[in-house]
Amino acid sequence: MAVSYMDFTSPSVRYTYDLNNNQIFKKDNQNYINSLSVKELNTLGNASLLDIHLSTGNVVEPHTHQNASELVYVISGAAIVSIINPFTKELLNFPVMPGQVALVPQGWWHYEMATADNTHLIAIFDAPVPEFIPGSDLFRLTPANVFAHTYCLDEAKVKEAFAPITDTVVIGPPKNCMHQGQVQGQTMQQQPSHHNQHYYHQGSPVNRDYELLQQQQQYQQQQQQQLFQQQFQAQEQPQHGAYAADPQRTQAQEQEQLRSQQQLREQERQQFIQQQQQLPFLQRQLIGNGWDQF
């Protein structure tokens, strides 16, 4: 239980607050963040939250919270919560839908990308004021010669790559980012694509990431629908299934059909796992080549 030093008899004690009065970042009308901490609501104990609004393709930039764990809850829309496990050196991607949550342990490198318009996330922290170290500050404030020397890189290329980052990004891409003749940060249009064309798609890296994330989400929905249909058909089997059409059907035939269904489910599961394994390769574009090996 959090220790509170609040004088609950004080005339300044507050029990409610309107988050719309504390907007800490705004990119545009569809992409902004409101905040609630003990500074706004003095009766809070060891808790705080961020009220995050995103449109498709927008990303809460890679960052860490050095003093708090984070629980991301989806109110509307859809998102991918991505974290780097510092112990296993893995980049993990968690698609979340309304009513679902994803946990980010304290101090872990992570980011969130919206895969649908009108995405509304609530990020809950176990600290009265969540601290925030953004990747954009690390990139723009670390001298290019340090990166070049430490990682054996071309200093001129490092300077060129990070030169456009002149301020903390928070929600990317920045409003003034020009890519393929279009301003990123507005609602992205999903382009028709085929599974085996993602690695060769001629669009922007962000578009490739977005298309694969959308495909993964659609695949999950299809899997859920197929499972529901199979369960429904199984329930209706005695009245409308094979036994009604063929009274002579043997137990061996029924077992063979069950094995076939199990094999199909296993094939679908393996296909889904392969799709997930492709995500780190494409999502390197979001956080820079090599970060997924951190």
Side-chain angles (χ1 to χ4, degrees), residues 28-125:
D28 53 41
N29 290 334
Q30 289 77 44
N31 298 276
Y32 58 92
I33 301 175
N34 301 323
S35 174
L36 178 71
S37 71
V38 72
K39 297 177 182 179
E40 292 76 44
L41 192 62
N42 56 16
T43 49
L44 273 177
N46 200 40
S48 53
L49 65 83
L50 294 178
D51 179 41
I52 304 170
H53 298 259
L54 300 170
S55 59
T56 304
N58 280 265
V59 184
V60 177
E61 70 163 310
H63 62 281
T64 63
H65 302 288
Q66 68 271 34
N67 72 328
S69 298
E70 177 180 356
L71 185 66
V72 181
Y73 175 76
V74 184
I75 295 179
S76 63
I80 302 289
V81 178
S82 299
I83 63 177
I84 291 180
N85 185 323
F87 302 103
T88 65
K89 313 302 182 185
E90 293 178 291
L91 173 62
L92 306 174
N93 304 283
F94 302 106
V96 283
M97 306 282 285
Q100 297 179 338
V101 300
L103 178 69
V104 181
Q106 179 176 340
W108 285 27
W109 187 255
H110 66 284
Y111 52 94
E112 297 91 8
M113 171 188 272
T115 56
D117 283 338
N118 300 314
T119 291
H120 186 187
L121 310 176
I122 296 292
I124 305 168
F125 303 91

Side-chain angles (χ1 to χ4, degrees), residues 6-14 42:
M6 180 68 200
D7 179 3
F8 288 92
T9 66
S10 169
S12 64
V13 68
R14 298 191 299 273
N42 56 16

Side-chain angles (χ1 to χ4, degrees), residues 3 12 14 18 66 69 72 86 97 104 136 159 166 180 210 214 221 281 290 292:
V3 178
S12 64
R14 298 191 299 273
D18 185 348
Q66 68 271 34
S69 298
V72 181
M97 306 282 285
V104 181
S136 55
K159 286 183 178 180
T166 59
Q180 298 291 328
Y210 167 67
Q214 285 290 83
Q221 293 173 345
F281 174 82
D292 56 337

